[in-house]
């Protein structure tokens, strides 16, 4: 699995990239939406203005033309039948024209339009003046003069009509201009929308690529535990996630190994327990009659008068029975280990106590013991008697191996051992001949012994006692220069009891 | 007037060890009886005839976790009990404090004989003193 120190640095972290992409995407969307809103507003204004001014001006122009045509027609009607009704209606149309002209002036917003309307107004005044004169002539039966003047006012009417058409054309041009402006705006907006759409698609593609390639794909591979297929370059959050998951996997693997080891230990313990029960049953059955035999021998010894050979035979029998008794005692101890009675004690004190107990035996064996101690070891949570039994076993084994005497050194130290924490370490070394190579792997197995009269249980019991204390007993080295065993006990703050 | 003899009850599963102890204690002018089970033990104690001391082997059948020994010291507090046991068989029980003495079961019977004599001296000084003057080896 790729570790963080193998990753090449990246200019932007994954988080920054995602934030930048999201920000640009949001800005792009907002810009598109804002532009659309602006366009809708502008278009609305454009149409409102067209409706309010230009289209209304067109309508006014048309109405003015109609009114002019009506007035011209009514004047002609009067010239035909001299009916006063036409004159009355002519007055109404006259007022209507003036009213329309005023409203057109109010709605006008162009200088050119105002100029045209002024011309229409002045032309209309001249027109009605001439028209009233024509009507007067007709009323007074001056027909020839009236007809001549009537022809003149047609030219004035045509001139006014042309002005109205001019006014209409002016606003038609304005409408055409606005329409062209609207088309330009629509074209710009279309181009902008297409560009925004392309940008959004590209940003979404980039975001999707990062999401899939840099997040989802590694997560999928991690989920499938494809250790080899996890990208070699993972930085930032994904790198941390990958490391964390790998850490968890390592922990799980470690826990699995420990569980497997524990299962093996349980199996081994079950086997040993079964053997122990058998041994205990046999030992228990043998021990009682053996005691009876010992008593009878004791009784015989008091009463018999033996010669030297008989005495030797008797002694051998007694010694072999004593050996049998020792074997049985060890069997029973192995099968029924006593409960630990832990207390806070310094291993250094236990070393001193053990050497005091063994002083006579050490002296008789010609073994000298050296203690390498910088400081008294900190306290541990241990059963003093059980721990002393372990020490005694190691030292007595050393004494047995060194037939003509020798040296034993006990080195004390405190060492941090992962994951156990601080441990009190005792190294018990002798300068004996060492353990035969073929026995090295089996020294802690029960019923394995290099001694002719050994039961092969001493080191097995010692190992078990150390394990029960949360520590261990380890054969560090053994050769012609001697043998070194290492005992480790967790210090008080890190002490863990496996079982008691 | 003839003084009563010391009556020792030996509780031991092995008949040959019972016979051996009977023989050894008889040398001291003790009346020795032997039983091989807890049932026989309590039948004998309930029979009404005085027992001065009980030598109790912990490996007697049915004495799991020292239950027979607990019944013995609880129900017959006036009778001193001497435990004759292998050290590995001794339970971690408060009832151990109620016995008169404990002797490790070994091939040497003299320790047990010596302890029985001491217990008798402690519990029955008149009886043992008379017995000693009357030819007892205690």
């Amino acid at each position: 699995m790729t570790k963080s120190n193998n990753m090449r640095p990246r200019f932007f972290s994954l988080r920054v990239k995602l934030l930048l992409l999201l920000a640009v995407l949001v800005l792009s969307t907002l810009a598109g939406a804002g532009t659309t809103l602006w366009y809708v507003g502008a278009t609305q204004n454009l149409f409102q203005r067209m409706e309010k001014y230009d289209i209304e001006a067109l309508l006014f122009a048309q109405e003015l033309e109609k009114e002019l045509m009506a007035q011209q027609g009514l004047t002609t009607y009067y010239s035909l039948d001299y009916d006063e009704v036409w004159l009355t209606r002519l007055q109404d149309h006259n007022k209507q024209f003036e009213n329309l002209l005023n409203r057109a002036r109010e709605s006008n917003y162009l200088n050119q339009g105002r100029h045209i309307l002024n011309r229409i107004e002045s032309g209309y005044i001249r027109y009605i003046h001439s028209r009233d004169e024509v009507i007067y002539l007709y009323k007074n039966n001056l027909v020839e003069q009236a007809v001549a003047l009537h022809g003149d006012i047609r030219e004035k009417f045509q001139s006014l009509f042309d002005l109205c058409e001019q006014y209409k054309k002016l606003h038609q041009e304005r409408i055409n201009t606005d329409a062209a402006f609207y088309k330009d705006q629509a074209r710009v907006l279309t181009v902008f929308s297409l560009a925004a759409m392309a940008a959004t698609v590209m940003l979404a593609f980039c975001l999707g690529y990062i999401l899939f390639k840099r997040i989802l794909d590694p997560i999928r591979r991690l989920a499938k535990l494809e250790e080899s297929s996890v990208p070699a370059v993972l930085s930032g959050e994904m790198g941390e996630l990958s490391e964390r998951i790998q850490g968890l996997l390592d922990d799980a693997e470690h826990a699995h190994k420990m569980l497997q080891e524990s299962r093996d230990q349980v199996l081994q313990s079950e086997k040993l327990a079964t053997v122990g029960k058998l041994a205990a049953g046999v030992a228990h059955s043998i021990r009682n009659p053996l005691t009876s035999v010992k008593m009878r021998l004791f009784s015989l010894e008091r009463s018999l008068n033996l010669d030297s050979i008989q005495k030797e035979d008797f002694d051998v029998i007694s010694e072999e029975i004593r050996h049998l008794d020792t074997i049985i005692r060890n069997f029973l101890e192995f099968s029924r280990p006593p409960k630990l009675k832990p207390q806070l004690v310094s291993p250094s004190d236990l070393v001193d106590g053990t050497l005091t107990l063994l002083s006579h035996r050490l002296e008789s064996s010609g073994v000298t013991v050296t203690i390498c101690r910088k400081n008294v070891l900190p306290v541990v949570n241990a059963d003093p008697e059980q721990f002393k039994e372990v020490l005694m076993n190691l030292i007595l084994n050393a004494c047995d191996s060194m037939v003509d005497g020798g040296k034993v050194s006990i080195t004390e130290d405190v060492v941090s051992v992962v994951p156990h924490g601080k441990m009190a370490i005792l190294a018990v070394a002798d300068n004996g001949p060492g353990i035969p190579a073929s026995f090295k792997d089996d020294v802690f197995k029960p019923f394995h012994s290099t001694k002719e009269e050994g039961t092969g249980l001493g080191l097995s019991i010692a190992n078990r006692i150390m394990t029960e204390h949360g520590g261990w007993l380890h054969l560090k080295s053994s050769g012609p220069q001697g043998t070194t065993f290492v005992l480790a006990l967790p210090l008080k703050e890190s002490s863990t009891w496996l079982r008691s | 007037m003839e003084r009563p003899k010391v009556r020792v009850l030996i509780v031991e599963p092995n008949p040959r060890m019972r016979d051996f102890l009977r023989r050894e204690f008889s040398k001291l002018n003790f009346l020795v009886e032997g039983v091989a089970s807890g049932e026989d033990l309590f039948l004998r104690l309930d029979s009404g005839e005085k027992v001065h001391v009980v030598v109790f082997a912990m490996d007697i059948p049915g004495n799991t976790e020292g239950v027979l020994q607990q019944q013995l010291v609880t129900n017959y507090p006036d009778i001193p009990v001497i435990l004759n046991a292998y050290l590995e068989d001794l339970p971690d029980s408060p009832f151990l404090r109620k016995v008169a003495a404990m002797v490790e079961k070994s091939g040497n019977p003299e320790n047990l004989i010596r302890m029985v004599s001491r217990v008798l001296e402690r519990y029955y000084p008149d009886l043992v003193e008379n017995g000693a003057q009357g030819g007892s080896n205690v």
Side-chain angles (χ1 to χ4, degrees):
Chain A
M1 183 70 187
T2 306
K3 299 293 181 188
S4 60
N5 53 5
N6 292 332
M7 295 173 189
R8 64 184 164 83
R10 296 206 156 207
F11 191 71
F12 289 125
S13 72
L14 185 60
R15 176 196 291 263
V16 173
K17 279 181 183 171
L18 282 174
L19 285 174
L20 279 174
L21 277 172
L22 280 172
V24 173
L25 198 61
V26 168
L27 284 175
S28 159
T29 308
L30 286 176
T35 307
T36 305
L37 284 174
W38 165 81
Y39 180 73
V40 169
T43 307
Q44 199 173 10
N45 288 334
L46 184 69
F47 278 101
Q48 279 179 348
R49 186 167 54 81
M50 283 172 67
E51 183 190 9
K52 188 175 180 181
Y53 298 108
D54 295 322
I55 293 176
E56 201 172 49
L58 281 176
L59 291 173
F60 283 143
Q62 284 179 346
E63 288 294 321
L64 286 171
E65 285 175 355
K66 279 169 64 182
E67 289 300 323
L68 277 174
M69 288 170 71
Q71 288 180 32
Q72 188 65 16
L74 288 170
T75 306
T76 302
Y77 293 161
Y78 182 76
S79 68
L80 292 176
D81 56 10
Y82 298 105
D83 190 349
E84 289 293 326
V85 173
W86 306 121
L87 295 178
T88 308
R89 291 180 63 181
L90 190 62
Q91 289 301 316
D92 292 340
H93 283 284
N94 189 35
K95 286 180 184 174
Q96 183 67 18
F97 185 90
E98 289 175 353
N99 184 35
L100 283 171
L101 192 61
N102 286 331
R103 287 171 61 190
R105 197 186 292 280
E106 286 172 2
S107 67
N108 177 60
Y109 65 101
L110 297 170
N111 288 329
Q112 197 178 352
R114 188 171 64 250
H115 181 64
I116 293 171
L117 289 174
N118 287 339
R119 285 176 63 194
I120 288 173
E121 188 177 13
S122 59
Y124 183 68
I125 291 169
R126 285 192 299 274
Y127 169 73
I128 57 173
H129 179 73
S130 298
R131 190 192 62 196
D132 289 346
E133 198 172 347
V134 168
I135 290 169
Y136 176 77
L137 289 174
Y138 278 126
K139 272 185 179 178
N140 295 299
N141 289 323
L142 298 173
V143 177
E144 288 183 7
Q145 293 178 5
V147 170
L149 196 57
H150 200 167
D152 289 340
I153 65 167
R154 283 198 191 97
E155 290 175 7
K156 290 189 173 70
F157 159 77
Q158 190 59 47
S159 174
L160 282 173
F161 194 86
D162 291 342
L163 284 172
C164 288
E165 281 293 311
Q166 198 176 345
Y167 188 69
K168 195 160 65 176
K169 193 177 177 183
L170 174 68
H171 283 282
Q172 278 177 338
E173 285 174 357
R174 286 295 304 176
I175 289 172
N176 290 337
T177 307
D178 287 344
F181 178 70
Y182 170 75
K183 280 182 183 175
D184 289 342
Q185 275 189 337
R187 193 177 299 113
V188 170
L189 185 70
T190 303
V191 171
F192 180 80
S193 297
L194 287 173
M197 198 183 299
T200 305
V201 168
M202 200 169 66
L203 287 170
F205 178 78
C206 290
L207 195 61
Y209 176 81
I210 289 178
L211 278 173
F212 277 94
K213 195 73 180 173
R214 302 293 310 282
I215 297 174
L216 295 178
D217 200 38
I219 286 175
R220 180 180 59 78
R221 291 177 184 175
L222 286 172
K224 288 184 177 178
L225 302 179
E226 294 174 1
E227 187 174 333
S228 58
S229 65
V230 174
V233 180
L234 282 180
S235 61
E237 293 78 3
M238 285 309 299
E240 290 173 10
L241 179 65
S242 173
E243 275 188 62
R244 180 66 181 143
I245 288 177
Q246 190 54 39
L248 289 173
L249 286 175
D250 291 343
D251 290 347
E253 191 177 351
H254 181 64
H256 180 74
K257 280 182 184 174
M258 288 183 69
L259 181 65
Q260 193 60 42
E261 287 175 5
S262 298
R263 282 179 180 164
D264 293 344
Q265 282 184 351
V266 168
L267 280 176
Q268 183 68 9
S269 299
E270 285 174 352
K271 284 180 187 174
L272 291 177
T274 306
V275 173
K277 281 181 183 175
L278 282 171
V282 172
H284 202 266
S285 301
I286 292 174
R287 188 169 55 165
N288 194 285
L290 196 63
T291 308
S292 179
V293 170
K294 285 160 67 180
M295 283 180 165
R296 299 290 175 166
L297 278 176
F298 184 85
S299 178
L300 276 176
E301 189 180 21
R302 284 189 307 192
S303 57
L304 287 178
N305 188 15
L306 302 173
D307 60 28
S308 61
I309 294 175
Q310 288 172 328
K311 182 75 167 63
E312 182 186 340
D313 292 345
F314 192 90
D315 289 343
V316 168
I317 290 170
S318 299
E319 183 59 29
E320 291 298 346
I321 286 174
R322 188 194 61 75
H323 185 207
L324 276 175
D325 197 45
T326 304
I327 292 171
I328 289 167
R329 196 184 297 271
N330 283 334
F331 271 161
L332 289 171
E333 186 179 351
F334 180 73
S335 62
R336 291 185 299 186
K339 288 183 180 176
L340 294 179
K341 295 174 181 171
Q343 55 184 272
L344 295 179
V345 61
S346 167
S348 299
D349 295 340
L350 299 179
V351 169
D352 295 341
T354 305
L355 294 179
T356 303
L357 281 173
L358 293 175
S359 58
H360 179 69
R361 172 67 191 274
L362 292 169
E363 191 177 344
S364 63
S365 302
V367 173
T368 56
V369 179
T370 311
I371 300 175
C372 303
R373 180 183 297 157
K374 294 174 187 170
N375 297 302
V376 173
L377 288 173
V379 292
V380 296
N381 209 7
D383 183 330
E385 297 308 317
Q386 297 289 315
F387 189 76
K388 279 197 274 189
E389 186 174 332
V390 175
L391 278 175
M392 270 196 278
N393 191 289
L394 294 177
I395 295 169
L396 290 176
N397 279 351
C399 290
D400 291 340
S401 68
M402 299 182 291
V403 181
D404 299 323
K407 292 178 180 177
V408 171
S409 69
I410 300 174
T411 307
E412 301 177 357
D413 203 354
V414 174
V415 175
S416 285
V417 182
V418 177
H420 303 279
K422 285 189 173 180
M423 310 279 289
I425 304 291
L426 293 173
V428 181
D430 64 47
N431 62 346
I435 299 169
S438 59
F439 277 91
K440 279 183 184 174
D441 293 337
D442 299 327
V443 287
F444 296 118
K445 289 183 181 175
F447 314 121
H448 285 77
S449 178
T450 58
K451 292 185 281 189
E452 288 181 358
E453 295 186 354
T455 59
L457 291 172
L459 283 176
S460 179
I461 291 171
N463 187 36
R464 186 174 59 194
I465 290 171
M466 293 306 295
T467 305
E468 287 175 351
H469 278 86
W472 60 81
L473 174 60
H474 168 62
L475 173 61
K476 185 181 178 185
S477 62
S478 185
Q481 306 303 316
T483 301
T484 302
F485 282 95
V486 174
L487 298 93
L489 273 177
L491 294 186
K492 183 200 163 206
E493 60 268 24
S494 57
S495 177
T496 304
W497 290 85
L498 299 183
R499 64 189 178 90
S500 62
Chain B
M1 182 178 170
E2 187 178 355
R3 291 174 176 80
K5 284 193 173 180
V6 172
R7 193 177 294 272
V8 179
L9 180 61
I10 295 171
V11 185
E12 169 59 50
N14 188 332
R16 284 166 286 278
M17 283 179 70
R18 281 203 306 274
D19 293 342
F20 178 77
L21 290 174
R22 181 184 287 116
R23 192 182 75 191
E24 292 298 311
F25 282 117
S26 296
K27 290 177 184 174
L28 300 175
N29 273 338
F30 292 166
L31 287 175
V32 183
E33 296 179 49
V35 292
S37 67
E39 190 180 354
D40 292 343
L41 164 66
F42 294 120
L43 279 174
R44 171 64 190 85
L45 292 177
D46 292 336
S47 67
E49 196 167 4
K50 175 74 176 175
V51 172
H52 293 96
V53 65
V54 174
V55 176
F56 186 87
M58 286 295 285
D59 53 344
I60 194 166
N63 190 34
T64 309
E65 299 291 325
V67 62
L68 292 177
Q69 176 250 329
Q70 291 177 22
Q71 291 176 18
L72 178 60
V73 297
T74 305
N75 297 327
Y76 305 93
D78 296 334
I79 304 175
V81 175
I82 297 172
L83 288 186
N84 187 26
Y86 299 106
L87 293 181
E88 297 81 17
D89 287 348
L90 287 175
D92 191 9
S93 165
F95 288 92
L96 279 184
R97 291 198 295 267
K98 295 190 175 183
V99 300
M102 286 184 282
V103 179
E104 184 184 4
K105 208 169 191 178
S106 67
N108 186 346
E110 287 185 351
N111 291 336
L112 180 61
I113 293 168
R114 194 178 301 117
M115 188 56 73
V116 168
S117 301
R118 283 184 188 169
V119 169
L120 286 172
E121 282 173 12
R122 185 168 11 130
Y123 283 84
Y124 309 102
D126 297 338
L127 189 64
V128 172
E129 191 180 10
N130 291 338
Q133 287 173 355
S136 168
N137 288 333
V138 176

